[in-house]
Amino acid sequence: MIVTSVGRILTMVRGKVQMRRIENTASRQVTFSKRRSGLLKKAYELSVLCDAEVGVIIFSQKGRLYQFSSSSEIQNTIDRYHRSSNDADTYKANMEQYILHLKQETTDMERKIELLEVSLRKLSGQCLGSCSTDEIQMIGDQLDLSLRSIRARKAQLFNDKIQQLQEKERSLKEENAKLLAKSTAYPRVAAIDSQSSRSEDVETGLSIGLPESLTRHHPAQV
């Protein structure tokens, strides 16, 4: 038998440190020393465990320098940081320039579309109240040119269709001529076959001795 008992669990909660400057000089110095050591230790562990390049630079209140670098020198890490920062700045500038270019292209395209829509409405006979005499003349010339192009294309399509029909008619005539020639030759072949069959049906007999008429007039003597 398992006996369980529930008791009151007392937990001690660590007091929360307020994020503000420590006024006591001695306490501030102790805290700095402890946290500096802990930070440098964590940086070292991060570089070893994760194979990362880590660099830490710390200046105390009195200006004393403390540093850690996973590479041979801290300057190598600083140079790499500057190169990466410059590349990021360059990429950001290029992206901003590209976005501005796209916005400009969009604006130009919207303006062109609007002009095309206005021109289309005018060609369809709308919004002509604000047009001058020259604009009306230009619209008329454009319509005449469009009509000529449409008529020329229509005539070309009709001519192509007529040629196709003529070619089809020629082909049908040739086919009809071939069929007529076959139908004309068929009766002749049939007549020749009929005559051949009748001549084959005539019986041919051979007799030995005198003809029957002579036998009646001159009977044989016994």
Side-chain angles (χ1 to χ4, degrees):
M1 179 171 41
I2 300 175
V3 179
T4 61
S5 61
V6 180
R8 298 182 60 184
I9 301 175
L10 300 178
T11 60
M12 298 180 62
V13 180
R14 183 179 178 181
K16 185 177 181 181
V17 178
Q18 296 181 358
M19 286 292 103
R20 66 181 183 181
R21 183 176 181 270
I22 300 175
E23 297 297 335
N24 187 277
T25 305
S27 298
R28 184 167 63 246
Q29 184 62 32
V30 172
T31 302
F32 173 77
S33 178
K34 289 181 179 180
R35 300 220 172 191
R36 181 201 66 212
S37 300
L39 179 60
L40 295 178
K41 181 180 178 183
K42 292 294 184 183
Y44 169 76
E45 292 175 353
L46 178 63
S47 65
V48 174
L49 295 175
C50 302
D51 194 19
E53 184 176 354
V54 181
V56 179
I57 298 176
I58 303 173
F59 289 97
S60 67
Q61 185 181 11
K62 296 180 179 181
R64 187 175 179 180
L65 173 63
Y66 301 90
Q67 65 182 17
F68 167 80
S69 177
S70 59
S71 61
S72 59
E73 295 183 3
I74 189 65
Q75 187 62 40
N76 295 334
T77 304
I78 295 174
D79 293 339
R80 183 177 181 182
Y81 166 77
H82 285 308
R83 288 194 302 269
S84 178
S85 179
N86 292 334
D87 292 342
D89 293 339
T90 303
Y91 176 77
K92 182 179 180 181
N94 292 335
M95 285 301 298
E96 290 177 353
Q97 187 68 25
Y98 180 67
I99 292 173
L100 290 176
H101 178 69
L102 290 179
K103 288 182 178 180
Q104 184 64 36
E105 284 190 348
T106 303
T107 303
D108 295 340
M109 187 63 66
E110 290 176 351
R111 188 180 300 108
K112 290 180 181 179
I113 292 174
E114 183 178 357
L115 292 175
L116 289 174
E117 289 177 350
V118 173
S119 177
L120 181 61
R121 287 196 294 268
K122 289 181 180 180
L123 289 174
S124 62
Q126 303 176 6
C127 304
L128 298 177
S130 59
C131 295
S132 62
T133 305
D134 294 338
E135 290 178 343
I136 293 295
Q137 183 64 38
M138 183 177 64
I139 293 172
D141 295 340
Q142 290 179 355
L143 290 174
D144 291 339
L145 181 61
S146 299
L147 286 174
R148 285 196 296 270
S149 299
I150 292 172
R151 287 171 182 149
R153 179 58 180 166
K154 183 178 179 181
Q156 181 65 35
L157 292 175
F158 282 166
N159 289 333
D160 295 341
K161 189 65 175 179
I162 290 172
Q163 291 179 0
Q164 292 177 1
L165 292 175
Q166 290 175 349
E167 185 66 25
K168 187 175 182 180
E169 181 183 7
R170 190 180 303 108
S171 178
L172 291 174
K173 286 182 178 180
E174 293 177 356
E175 188 68 24
N176 288 336
K178 293 178 181 179
L179 293 175
L180 181 61
K182 289 181 179 180
S183 63
T184 304
Y186 179 74
R188 296 178 182 177
V189 175
I192 293 172
D193 292 342
S194 178
Q195 291 177 1
S196 298
S197 62
R198 285 199 300 270
S199 62
E200 291 175 357
D201 293 339
V202 175
E203 294 182 358
T204 58
L206 296 176
S207 59
I208 299 174
L210 295 176
E212 184 180 356
S213 59
L214 293 178
T215 305
R216 287 195 302 268
H217 292 88
H218 300 282
Q221 294 182 359
V222 178

